[in-house]
Amino acid sequence: MVKVSVLGAAGGIGQPLSLLLKANPLVTELALFDIVNTPGVAADLSHINTPATVKGYVGNEQLEAALTGSHIIVIPAGVPRKPGMTRDDLFNINAGIVKNLATGAAKWAPKAFICVISNPVNSTVPIVAEVLKQHGVFDPKRLFGVTTLDIVRASTFVAEAKGGKAPNTIVPVLGGHSGVTIVPVLSATGHTFSQEELDALTKRIQYGGDEVVKAKDGAGSATLSMAFAGARFANSLLEASVTKKTGITECTYVKSDVVPGVEYFATVVEFGVNGVHKVHPLPTLSAHEQKLLDAAIPELKNNIAKGIEFVNKA
Ligand code: NAD
Ligand code: LMR
């Protein structure tokens, strides 16, 4: 039995992500939690003839039932950006939402893999970790910040610029998930780039989210591409933990010591039956990429400290 719980399942990401998870034959039970509308989403998805049973849960009093027995918890709950906002501007609202959901996970699904999509990811992952620590159930192998959309975007943008098939264009993206903390390793693609191309592609990957926020013009941020990325990430975890396939890797934001003094960092991670099997060391970086990493570190440290302090301040 493989139960996947989606927290924030009625939202812009939550609905298409739940659809893609319902289409995954490795999932046998899909628990859709939100503060509104999940019975309707669940009824709709439940007519699809794939193995997963689907149930909607609404409101805090149903969080326990939504989480109990979960193998994977995916969290896209919270507010999205509007034009002119940074992801950190979402902190005041989303930190509390994520803290509450993490408390539920600590109590009712302490062994689940937790995949955090809610922004600002650089801070919400430390928030979840601190809540789990307070309950004595933190396992760094089981907590992930989902940065897969950066990987998906990077391969699309590089293939568009240099030719080749996007799915075969692998671009590791390190660091975190906001602006300068996003560090694409374009030197790993095998392509050669002029300095102008490097600068333009790096900027596009770092600020890809802003492109969508601007185009949606007040109606939110990336939802469909994020659902695709989130479903890919969940599937990789399922393949490693349920079908026990080896050698599965994703770039993801996890507790890490690859960069001294930066407690959470996105890099290539190999999955195993218990979640993180191996955090890969930093790949060889070009001088351009080393500069990007140097610029990312102070902001990343601030974002992490802000999340940790939020949980421990009271
Ligand atoms: P949305 O507003 O469309 O949906 C959010 C959902 O969360 C809503 O259905 C809302 O009812 C629900 N929600 C609010 N409070 C809740 C609570 N306490 N418990 C459970 N559910 C609650 O927003 P969206 O476009 O789906 O984006 C959701 C989050 O994902 C945002 O924070 C956004 O910035 C983030 N995001 C992250 C990435 C990434 O790469 N990690 C990509 C895109 C968006
Ligand atoms: C993204 O990268 O698309 C998300 O983090 C949403 C956003 O606010 O840009």
Side-chain angles (χ1 to χ4, degrees), residues 81 83 149 153 157 207-225:
R81 285 196 288 164
L149 183 51
R153 280 183 181 137
F157 298 163
Y207 295 94
D210 295 54
E211 259 182 44
V212 182
V213 169
K214 199 166 163 228
K216 290 199 174 178
D217 198 16
S221 56
T223 54
L224 304 173
S225 50

Side-chain angles (χ1 to χ4, degrees), residues 45-277:
L45 289 179
S46 71
H47 290 190
I48 296 172
N49 60 345
T50 53
T53 58
V54 190
K55 192 161 173 208
Y57 301 86
V58 184
N60 243 357
E61 57 291 348
Q62 294 191 3
L63 185 58
E64 176 175 0
L67 289 173
T68 302
S70 244
H71 183 70
I72 299 184
I73 300 168
V74 192
I75 310 183
V79 292
R81 285 196 288 164
K82 288 191 185 333
M85 293 171 81
T86 66
R87 292 181 184 81
D88 189 55
D89 291 335
L90 304 172
F91 186 96
N92 286 345
I93 298 182
N94 289 352
I97 293 173
V98 169
K99 184 179 172 211
N100 174 56
L101 297 173
T103 304
K107 289 202 254 183
W108 299 309
K111 293 276 181 204
F113 300 127
I114 303 179
C115 309
V116 184
I117 293 173
S118 316
N119 271 316
V121 168
N122 294 359
S123 304
T124 50
V125 168
I127 287 173
V128 175
E130 292 305 302
V131 170
L132 296 173
K133 282 182 202 169
Q134 286 184 344
H135 287 78
V137 294
F138 178 50
D139 178 353
K141 291 188 166 51
R142 291 173 178 269
L143 174 61
F144 310 89
V146 183
T147 58
T148 322
L149 183 51
D150 299 319
I151 310 300
V152 166
R153 280 183 181 137
S155 62
T156 304
F157 298 163
V158 171
E160 271 174 23
K162 302 300 284 186
K165 292 188 171 136
N168 301 338
T169 306
I170 310 294
V171 189
V173 182
L174 314 178
H177 178 67
S178 70
V180 297
T181 71
I182 296 174
V183 179
V185 184
L186 293 166
S187 63
T189 59
H191 293 293
T192 47
F193 302 91
S194 67
Q195 189 59 45
E196 206 182 355
E197 280 178 318
L198 272 184
D199 291 340
L201 273 168
T202 300
K203 187 147 189 248
R204 189 159 185 223
I205 295 164
Q206 289 183 322
Y207 295 94
D210 295 54
E211 259 182 44
V212 182
V213 169
K214 199 166 163 228
K216 290 199 174 178
D217 198 16
S221 56
T223 54
L224 304 173
S225 50
M226 181 59 239
F228 173 87
R232 163 176 149 175
F233 187 81
N235 186 54
S236 290
L237 263 183
L238 287 167
E239 287 205 311
S241 62
V242 176
T243 65
K244 301 190 173 34
K245 218 163 152 182
T246 56
I248 307 247
T249 60
E250 291 287 351
C251 281
T252 171
Y253 183 72
V254 293
K255 182 144 175 40
S256 159
D257 53 14
V258 294
V259 177
V262 185
E263 213 178 324
Y264 298 88
F265 192 83
T267 188
V268 179
V269 171
E270 185 178 338
F271 294 155
V273 281
N274 294 314
V276 174
H277 175 64

